[in-house]
């Protein structure tokens, strides 16, 4: 399954609920999922990290569906085999 297919799957499973929830509330759920991922990373809990990575990706797809963004398309356009800022692979941007 590719990114586009997964995004369509999220639309089939959750599209009606996402529409009812709306963009802002769906974005808040995404932020909450990122927070849960960060807690799992901090704790070094691999099993929990796997669950939370999947949840973050699912919420990201749901949000993208609501605003009509094809994640696969925009990702390929932005990252054309190189860093979009410095244009190199690997990235040569200074650390901040």
């Amino acid at each position: 399954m590719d990114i586009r297919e997964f995004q369509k799957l999220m639309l089939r499973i959750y599209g009606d609920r996402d529409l009812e929830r709306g963009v802002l509330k769906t974005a808040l759920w995404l932020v909450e999922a990122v927070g849960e991922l960060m807690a799992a990373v901090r704790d070094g809990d691999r099993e929990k990290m796997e669950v939370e990575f999947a949840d973050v990706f699912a919420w990201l797809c749901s949000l993208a569906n609501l605003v009509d963004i094809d994640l696969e398309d925009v990702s390929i356009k932005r990252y054309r085999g190189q860093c979009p800022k410095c244009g190199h692979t690997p990235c040569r941007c200074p650390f901040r």
Side-chain angles (χ1 to χ4, degrees), residues 36-37 39-55:
E36 292 170 354
L37 172 60
V41 169
R42 180 196 61 226
D43 296 342
D45 184 337
R46 182 163 181 90
E47 186 174 320
K48 186 70 172 164
M49 280 189 268
E50 290 175 358
V51 168
E52 297 306 334
F53 269 112
D55 287 353

Side-chain angles (χ1 to χ4, degrees), residues 3-8 10-11 23 57-78:
I3 294 170
R4 185 171 291 119
E5 290 169 343
F6 185 81
Q7 188 172 342
K8 287 178 182 178
M10 294 299 97
L11 183 61
V23 172
F57 189 60
W59 281 111
L60 180 65
C61 288
S62 287
L63 183 57
N65 284 333
L66 287 174
V67 295
D68 196 29
I69 299 287
D70 182 318
L71 289 172
E72 186 169 303
D73 185 51
V74 298
S75 298
I76 290 168
K77 284 180 184 175
R78 178 144 172 86

Side-chain angles (χ1 to χ4, degrees), residues 14-34:
Y14 299 113
D16 291 340
R17 297 181 101 182
D18 292 338
L19 278 173
E20 187 176 328
R21 184 181 312 104
V23 172
L24 294 179
K25 287 183 181 176
T26 300
L28 287 173
W29 277 98
L30 170 60
V31 170
E32 182 176 323
V34 171

